[in-house]
C-alpha cells in the first residue's frame, strides 16, 4: 500500500549491499542483516535499521508502525526526509584524504603485535563471543610467525584451528565448517555452511599441516573437500554458494542428536565409547539436544579406536541422511568459487592428490566457460541467468585461483590467463584518483555511487587479494607495471584506520617484502621432480615457483636470468630480492635454502 518493496540477495549483489550498509553505518548503527533501508524513488537512502519486530517490544517499534511513520514523514514533513537524504549522500560520497604510509616491515610487525593481543590464548580466535573463523586474520598471524620466528603467532593460529577442527562448528559426520560459533568455545554454530569459509579453512589447515604434520589438519582437509564434492559440487564442476541452517523450520535440526537416537543407531556395545568422545549426554549441550564435538577429547586415540569411531560416524551419517535436508543455495559465485579453486589446488599439490587438482581444474573450466564474456567474468550464474559484468572480487579471486593452479601444475597457461584477467580488472575497475579497485565495473548498472572494495570481511577484499596477485604476477612475468600497481595499492591502503579490516592487505605487504623466487631449470616437470618435491616440503607462504627450460627466457632484470642448469642436470636457484643462490641440484640443500631457519612449531 505504501512502498515499492525490493528484496536484494546480498550475495548476488554485494555492490548494492555495500552501499546501503555504509548508509546504515553513517546513521550510527552497527550493521547486520536483515537490513531494511528506506529510499527515495531515485534509490537514495533516508533511514534504516537491521531488525524490526512484528510486534512492539523491548522498546523497539513494530515494523508496521515504522512503515506508517516513514510514509507519514515522506508525505507531511518532506524537509526532514530531504535533510536526511542530503546528509547521508554527503557522507557516502565523501573521500577522506589519506596520507600514504611506508611499505616496510615495521608496519607489519607493529600490526601483528597489536592484533595478537586480541587473541584468546586458550580457546582460540578473538576473545569473547560470537566467534568467527576470520581467515584473513589467521593468515596474517601465520605469516608473522614465519617472518619473526616468534612462536606466539603460530601458537595463536594453531590453537584456533585445532579448536575449530574439534568444535561443534565442524560437522563431525559429514565434514565442512559452519559460519560461526555463537559461544566462545566454538561449540554451538550458526549451522549455515558457506563455500568461502570452507575454502579458506582448507587453505589454512593445509598450510598448518605443512608446518606441523598434525594428522588432525590432514584429516579435516580431506573430509572438507569430500563434503564439498558430495554436497556442494554442481553439474559441470563448480560449487554452490551455501547450505542453509534450517530444515523443517528449525535451525540445526538436521545436525543435532538425542542420546536415545545415538544409542539406537550404534547399539549398546558402541554407544558408551562414542558418547564419551563426542559429548553425547541425556541432557545434551544445545537446547536439550547434542551437537557432536571433541572439545573435551581432542587428542588422537589409538589407531584402532579412531577406526572404530570412523565406523560409528559412518553409521550416524547414514541415519542423518534419511532426515529432511536443509536447502542448498545453488547459485554459482565466481569470487567464492575462486577461493575454493585456489584452496583445493593448494591442498592437492601439498598432499600429492592429483584428483583434487582435477577438481580445481574442472571448477575453473566451468567458471571460464559459463561465467566469462569477452575476457571478463560475471559475478553470479544460476540456471542460465548471469549477473554481468562481474565485480572486482570475482576477477581477484579467479586470478588467485589461476596462480594456485600454476603453483600446483607449473603450466604457463594459468599465468597467461591470470595476466589477461588482471588487465581486464584494471581497465574496468581501477580508481586512478585513489589507487585500488572499485567493486563494480565502469560499465555496470548505475547506482547512486560506485563503492570500492577496501576492507576484509568474511572474505578478503578485492584490493587485498589483487595486491598479492600483482606481486606474484610481477615475480612470474617481470612486468614492472604490475609491481607499480601493487605498491600503489599497498601505500594508499587505509591499514591504520582498522587493522582488523586490513589483515589481507598486511599479508599482501608481507609477500611484497618477503617473496622468495624459486627458479627450477629443467626441460620438463618430471626431470625436476625431486627438486619440486623438496620445495613442496619446504613451502612457505611467500614462495613463488617457476619451471623454465631456458633461463634466457626470463625477463632480463630477473635475478636468475641467463643462469643455466649444471651439466644438463635439473638445477634450482633461490632468489631473494636481487640476489640468487648458486645453482643447487640436491633436494636437501634446496630445502635448507628456502627455509634456512625452521620456524618454531607446537
Amino acid at each position: 500500500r505504501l512502498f515499492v518493496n525490493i528484496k536484494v540477495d546480498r550475495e548476488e549483489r554485494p555492490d548494492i549491499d555495500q552501499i546501503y550498509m555504509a548508509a546504515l553505518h553513517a546513521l550510527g548503527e552497527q550493521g547486520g542483516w536483515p537490513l531494511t533501508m528506506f529510499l527515495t524513488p531515485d534509490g537514495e537512502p533516508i533511514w534504516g535499521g537491521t531488525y524490526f519486530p512484528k510486534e512492539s517490544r523491548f522498546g523497539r517499534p513494530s515494523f508496521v508502525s515504522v512503515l506508517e511513520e516513514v510514509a507519514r514523514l515522506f508525505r507531511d514533513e518532506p524537509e526532514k526526509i530531504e535533510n536526511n537524504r542530503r546528509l547521508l549522500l554527503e557522507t557516502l560520497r565523501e573521500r577522506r584524504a589519506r596520507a600514504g604510509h611506508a611499505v616496510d616491515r615495521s608496519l607489519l610487525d607493529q600490526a601483528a603485535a597489536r592484533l595478537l593481543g586480541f587473541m584468546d590464548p586458550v580457546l582460540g580466535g578473538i576473545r569473547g563471543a560470537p566467534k568467527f573463523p576470520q581467515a584473513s586474520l589467521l593468515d596474517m598471524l601465520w605469516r608473522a610467525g614465519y617472518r619473526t620466528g616468534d612462536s606466539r603467532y603460530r601458537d595463536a593460529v594453531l590453537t584456533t584451528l585445532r579448536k575449530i577442527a574439534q568444535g561443534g562448528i565442524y560437522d563431525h559426520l559429514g565434514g565442512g565448517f559452519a559460519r560461526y560459533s555463537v559461544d566462545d568455545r566454538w561449540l554451538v554454530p550458526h549451522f549455515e555452511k558457506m563455500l568461502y569459509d570452507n575454502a579458506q579453512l582448507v587453505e589454512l589447515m593445509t598450510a598448518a599441516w605443512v608446518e606441523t604434520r598434525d594428522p588432525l589438519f590432514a584429516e579435516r582437509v580431506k573430509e572438507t573437500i569430500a563434503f564439498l564434492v558430495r554436497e556442494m559440487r554442481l553439474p559441470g564442476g563448480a560449487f554452490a554458494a551455501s547450505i542453509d541452517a534450517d530444515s523443517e523450520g528449525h535451525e540445526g535440526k538436521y545436525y543435532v542428536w538425542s542420546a536415545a537416537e545415538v544409542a539406537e543407531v550404534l547399539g549398546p556395545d558402541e554407544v558408551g565409547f562414542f558418547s564419551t568422545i563426542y559429548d553425547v549426554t541425556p541432557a545434551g549441550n544445545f537446547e536439550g539436544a547434542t551437537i557432536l564435538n571433541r572439545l573435551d577429547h581432542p587428542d588422537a586415540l589409538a589407531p584402532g579406536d579412531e577406526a572404530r569411531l570412523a565406523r560409528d560416524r559412518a553409521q550416524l551419517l547414514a541415519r542423518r541422511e534419511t532426515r529432511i535436508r536443509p536447502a542448498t543455495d545453488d547459485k554459482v559465485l565466481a569470487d567464492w568459487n575462486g577461493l575454493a579453486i585456489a584452496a583445493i589446488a593448494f591442498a592437492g599439490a601439498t598432499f600429492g592428490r592429483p584428483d583434487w587438482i582435477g577438481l580445481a581444474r574442472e571448477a575453473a573450466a566451468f567458471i571460464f566457460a559459463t561465467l566469462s564474456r569477452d575476457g571478463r567474468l560475471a559475478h553470479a550464474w544460476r540456471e542460465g541467468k548471469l549477473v554481468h559484468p562481474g565485480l572486482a572480487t570475482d576477477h581477484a579471486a579467479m586470478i588467485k585461483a589461476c596462480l594456485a593452479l600454476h603453483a600446483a601444475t607449473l603450466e604457463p597457461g594459468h599465468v597467461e590467463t591470470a595476466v589477461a584477467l588482471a588487465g581486464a580488472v584494471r581497465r574496468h575497475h581501477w580508481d586512478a584518483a585513489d589507487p585500488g579497485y572499485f567493486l563494480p565495473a565502469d560499465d555496470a548498472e548505475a547506482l547512486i555511487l560506485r563503492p570500492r572494495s577496501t576492507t576484509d570481511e568474511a572474505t578478503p577484499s578485492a584490493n587485498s587479494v589483487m595486491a598479492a596477485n600483482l606481486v606474484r604476477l610481477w615475480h612470474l612475468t617481470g612486468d614492472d607495471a604490475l609491481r607499480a600497481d601493487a605498491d600503489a595499492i599497498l601505500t594508499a591502503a587505509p591499514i591504520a584506520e582498522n587493522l582488523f579490516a586490513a589483515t589481507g592487505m598486511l599479508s599482501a605487504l608481507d609477500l611484497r617484502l618477503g617473496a622468495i623466487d624459486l627458479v627450477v631449470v629443467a626441460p620438463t616437470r618430471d626431470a625436476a621432480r625431486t627438486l619440486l618435491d623438496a620445495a613442496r616440503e619446504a613451502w612457505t607462504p611467500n614462495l613463488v615457483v617457476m619451471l623454465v627450460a631456458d633461463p634466457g627466457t626470463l625477463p632480463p632484470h630477473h635475478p636468475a636470468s641467463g643462469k643455466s642448469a649444471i651439466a644438463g642436470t635439473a638445477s634450482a636457484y633461490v632468489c631473494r630480492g636481487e640476489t640468487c643462490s648458486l645453482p643447487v641440484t640436491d633436494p636437501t640443500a634446496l630445502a635448507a635454502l628456502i627455509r634456512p631457519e625452521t620456524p618454531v612449531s607446537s
Side-chain angles (χ1 to χ4, degrees):
R1 177 166 59 85
L2 298 175
F3 295 89
V4 175
N5 305 295
I6 303 171
K7 187 171 183 177
V8 178
D9 180 339
R10 68 186 182 93
E11 296 166 2
E12 186 174 298
R13 291 302 303 269
D15 50 344
I16 292 174
D17 175 69
Q18 190 173 118
I19 291 170
Y20 296 117
M21 185 56 70
L24 186 72
H25 292 159
L27 289 165
E29 298 284 342
Q30 184 174 353
W33 296 275
L35 168 63
T36 298
M37 289 300 297
F38 294 93
L39 315 177
T40 69
D42 291 326
E44 300 160 321
I46 55 176
W47 189 72
T50 55
Y51 175 71
F52 300 101
K54 185 175 180 179
E55 308 292 341
S56 298
R57 60 182 180 182
F58 305 121
R60 296 186 66 87
S62 72
F63 192 47
V64 170
S65 63
V66 168
L67 295 172
E68 295 281 4
E69 178 62 11
V70 172
R72 186 196 68 76
L73 287 168
F74 201 87
R75 181 182 64 247
D76 299 338
E77 301 183 53
E79 68 281 359
K80 290 186 177 179
I81 296 294
E82 170 58 22
N83 187 56
N84 264 28
R85 182 201 68 83
R86 178 179 55 80
L87 291 174
L88 278 174
L89 285 179
E90 287 176 359
T91 300
L92 292 175
R93 290 171 175 164
E94 179 185 11
R95 286 208 171 197
R96 286 177 290 171
R98 291 195 298 261
H101 51 76
V103 179
D104 60 25
R105 176 169 168 162
S106 64
L107 176 63
L108 288 172
D109 291 347
Q110 291 167 16
R114 285 187 59 192
L115 290 171
L116 181 65
F118 292 96
M119 297 295 288
D120 187 325
V122 176
L123 300 175
I126 299 298
R127 290 190 180 93
K131 280 194 186 312
F132 290 82
Q134 294 184 297
S136 292
L137 170 63
L138 296 179
D139 178 59
M140 187 276 293
L141 293 174
W142 191 246
R143 288 170 169 274
Y146 274 103
R147 186 177 63 253
T148 66
D150 187 335
S151 63
R152 293 177 303 161
Y153 295 111
R154 317 306 292 285
D155 290 344
V157 177
L158 292 172
T159 295
T160 302
L161 292 179
R162 286 171 177 145
K163 293 293 185 181
I164 290 173
Q166 300 289 35
I169 192 174
Y170 181 71
D171 180 355
H172 290 264
L173 300 185
F177 299 91
R179 271 186 66 205
Y180 63 89
S181 170
V182 302
D183 64 310
D184 66 354
R185 296 183 62 230
W186 305 100
L187 172 63
V188 181
H190 174 56
F191 289 88
E192 187 177 19
K193 291 179 178 178
M194 313 301 292
L195 178 60
Y196 61 76
D197 282 322
N198 285 280
Q200 293 176 101
L201 286 168
V202 163
E203 185 171 18
L204 281 167
M205 290 193 180
T206 300
W209 180 84
V210 172
E211 180 67 22
T212 64
R213 292 304 194 265
D214 187 336
L216 172 65
F217 298 134
E219 192 68 14
R220 293 296 179 263
V221 168
K222 181 180 73 173
E223 291 169 346
T224 301
I225 293 176
F227 151 73
L228 291 173
V229 171
R230 185 181 65 252
E231 298 191 33
M232 298 191 77
R233 193 168 186 253
L234 301 171
F239 295 96
S242 63
I243 297 175
D244 287 353
D246 300 358
S247 58
E248 302 181 73
H250 298 281
E251 180 175 341
K253 183 174 182 179
Y254 182 74
Y255 297 101
V256 300
W257 294 84
S258 68
E261 189 177 10
V262 172
E264 178 190 341
V265 173
L266 297 183
D269 294 337
E270 202 64 27
V271 64
F273 174 62
F274 182 89
S275 297
T276 298
I277 302 300
Y278 282 96
D279 191 27
V280 181
T281 64
N285 55 30
F286 171 69
E287 299 179 355
T290 292
I291 299 168
L292 300 179
N293 72 92
R294 288 184 66 163
L295 288 168
D296 292 331
H297 295 276
D299 297 330
L301 306 176
D305 286 339
E306 289 291 355
R308 180 181 172 188
L309 289 171
R311 291 191 295 271
D312 294 342
R313 293 195 302 269
Q315 287 182 270
L316 290 169
L317 178 62
R319 168 64 68 89
R320 194 177 80 179
E321 288 178 342
T322 66
R323 301 174 180 174
I324 297 175
R325 299 175 59 84
T328 298
D329 181 350
D330 62 354
K331 65 176 175 283
V332 175
L333 300 175
D335 48 0
W336 296 5
N337 269 268
L339 297 177
I341 292 162
I344 294 170
F346 174 45
T350 301
F351 290 102
R353 291 288 301 263
D355 55 328
W356 291 352
I357 297 173
L359 291 172
R361 284 184 188 274
E362 290 177 22
F366 182 93
I367 298 298
F368 287 121
T370 309
L371 280 78
S372 180
R373 296 289 184 274
D374 301 321
R376 296 163 65 190
L377 297 172
H379 172 60
W381 175 92
R382 186 176 184 274
E383 294 184 350
K385 182 180 177 181
L386 285 175
V387 176
H388 189 275
L391 306 168
T393 48
D394 300 307
H395 293 81
M398 285 305 299
I399 293 168
K400 174 178 171 140
C402 290
L403 290 169
L405 282 167
H406 173 260
T409 66
L410 296 177
E411 297 166 355
H414 298 299
V415 175
E416 294 165 7
T417 302
V419 168
L421 284 177
V425 74
R426 196 185 198 285
R427 285 190 298 275
H428 293 285
H429 296 263
W430 185 254
D431 182 353
D434 185 5
Y437 300 91
F438 288 107
L439 186 58
D442 54 3
D443 56 352
E445 172 191 3
L447 302 173
I448 61 169
L449 57 86
R450 196 176 175 200
R452 280 171 54 101
S453 177
T454 56
T455 58
D456 300 320
E457 297 176 352
T459 57
S461 74
N463 280 294
S464 63
V465 177
M466 277 304 301
N469 288 341
L470 292 168
V471 171
R472 289 190 182 277
L473 285 172
W474 168 54
H475 280 269
L476 291 166
T477 68
D479 185 345
D480 285 338
L482 299 171
R483 180 200 60 192
D485 280 356
D487 287 352
I489 294 169
L490 290 167
T491 54
I495 291 174
E497 293 178 14
N498 185 347
L499 289 180
F500 282 103
T503 51
M505 198 67 73
L506 289 163
S507 291
L509 176 56
D510 179 75
L511 174 65
R512 173 67 178 90
L513 297 176
I516 304 168
D517 283 301
L518 170 61
V519 179
V520 180
V521 184
T524 66
R525 184 173 178 176
D526 284 343
R529 185 166 303 279
T530 57
L531 292 177
L532 294 172
D533 287 347
R536 186 174 68 244
E537 292 289 315
W539 175 88
T540 79
N542 288 344
L543 191 64
V544 181
V545 182
M546 297 177 68
L547 175 66
V548 296
D550 177 10
T553 60
L554 293 171
H557 51 277
H558 192 289
S561 178
K563 299 185 183 298
S564 58
I566 296 176
T569 302
S571 306
Y573 295 87
V574 177
C575 309
R576 290 177 168 84
E578 302 300 317
T579 304
C580 291
S581 68
L582 294 172
V584 179
T585 59
D586 177 66
T588 303
L590 175 60
L593 279 173
I594 294 171
R595 297 181 63 175
E597 295 182 11
T598 303
V600 177
S601 61
S602 58

